Amino acid sequence: MQLIELPLSVTNCFLIKTPNDKYILVDTGYEWDWKVFCKQLIKFNVGFSEISHLVLTHHHDDHSGLLNNIIEKNSGIQIVMSHLAKDLLTTGVNDRSHGGGLINKRIALLIYSTLAPLKRIKAKKWPMTFPPYAVRKNDILINGETRLSDIGIELNGRIIETPGHSVDSISIIFDDSDCIVGDAAANMLQFAGTKYCVIALNAIDEYYKSWRKIIAENAKRIFPSHGRPFGADKLTDNIGKNKKENMVMYK
Ligand SMILES: [Zn+2]
């Protein structure tokens, strides 16, 4: 499986070529990533007309920000998402109603005591928003483990549900053991003790349950949305290591 990585401002998107010369795009970026996203497509010589499906790992602002722009370029692209993403996408704001809002303590401190007063981060912008997206008839809602071939994607692999970061998180595990996890794992800000968790979680127990699922599916290489790819052994080694005490509720 050849994964083409498209790094945007903070989100890694992925393109995978299918045997019939189409591309599957995984995720988009923030709404302000449009220009860089287009540049990346040009760099890899991929046109919007060549994209057949867009798999959205979850509804958050840094993943869904460009859905409308992309659909405008090619309305034939089918967006694949968890059935739980449908309503969340219409709100235009990251969901915090499912027992969530936990953020890494050191990162929270950095944001609220250091960066926000310096106005490097507009704290008000942090109730994270994105252009609302209304699911269309030809989009595909996933409910339970689903083979890619069953939803018209000519690749060997399956979509599994991996909640914990958000209720609607899904991952793609290919039969060759590569796994695109969205924010179900991450490889960033290790100094803050993230231990391969993304900095914000809904439910830490659910998150680790999803890791166990990914490990049980025999994943070998993990491709996160944030940070460089890493071996699945890191998940095995770090399971449970990021403690609830390391997380605070974000304001
Ligand atoms: Zn997210």
Side-chain angles (χ1 to χ4, degrees), residues 58 60-63 94 165-166 183 198 226:
H58 61 295
H60 282 167
D61 54 350
D62 53 333
H63 298 256
N94 290 6
H165 169 64
S166 66
D183 287 354
V198 76
H226 306 295

Side-chain angles (χ1 to χ4, degrees), residues 38-204:
C38 292
K39 269 190 196 159
Q40 290 283 25
L41 282 192
I42 291 166
K43 182 175 157 192
F44 291 101
N45 200 22
V46 174
F48 286 97
S49 63
E50 295 174 275
I51 300 172
S52 65
H53 296 80
L54 192 176
V55 180
L56 184 69
T57 62
H58 61 295
H59 72 285
H60 282 167
D61 54 350
D62 53 333
H63 298 256
S64 66
L66 303 176
L67 294 183
N68 294 310
N69 300 51
I70 290 171
I71 287 306
E72 217 168 276
K73 291 282 183 187
N74 175 5
S75 61
I77 296 174
Q78 292 182 279
I79 301 185
V80 180
M81 68 186 87
S82 160
H83 67 111
L84 297 171
K86 184 181 175 223
D87 290 342
L88 299 175
L89 281 172
T90 62
T91 67
V93 58
N94 290 6
D95 175 44
R96 284 165 62 181
S97 67
H98 287 87
L102 289 170
I103 188 170
N104 179 286
K105 211 189 238 176
R106 284 185 208 165
I107 299 298
L109 201 69
L110 195 69
I111 292 165
Y112 295 117
S113 5
T114 313
L115 298 177
L118 290 174
K119 294 200 166 67
R120 279 193 201 147
I121 283 190
K122 291 175 193 146
K124 272 192 183 158
K125 241 188 158 184
W126 259 57
M128 304 142 179
T129 58
F130 52 87
Y133 177 78
V135 167
R136 305 158 308 153
K137 259 195 214 141
N138 62 337
D139 291 333
I140 297 168
L141 302 178
I142 298 295
N143 192 353
E145 185 166 333
T146 305
R147 291 254 356 141
L148 294 172
S149 55
D150 289 342
I151 53 169
I153 296 179
E154 280 193 70
L155 293 172
N156 297 317
R158 58 221 178 271
I159 293 176
I160 58 172
E161 291 171 331
T162 48
H165 169 64
S166 66
V167 285
D168 61 327
S169 289
I170 55 174
S171 299
I172 309 173
I173 174 135
F174 295 101
D175 293 353
D176 68 1
S177 300
D178 282 351
C179 190
I180 299 179
V181 295
D183 287 354
N187 188 9
M188 68 187 301
L189 304 171
Q190 298 282 5
F191 73 90
T194 50
K195 308 270 185 199
Y196 296 91
C197 294
V198 76
I199 59 166
L201 302 176
N202 258 7
I204 199 164

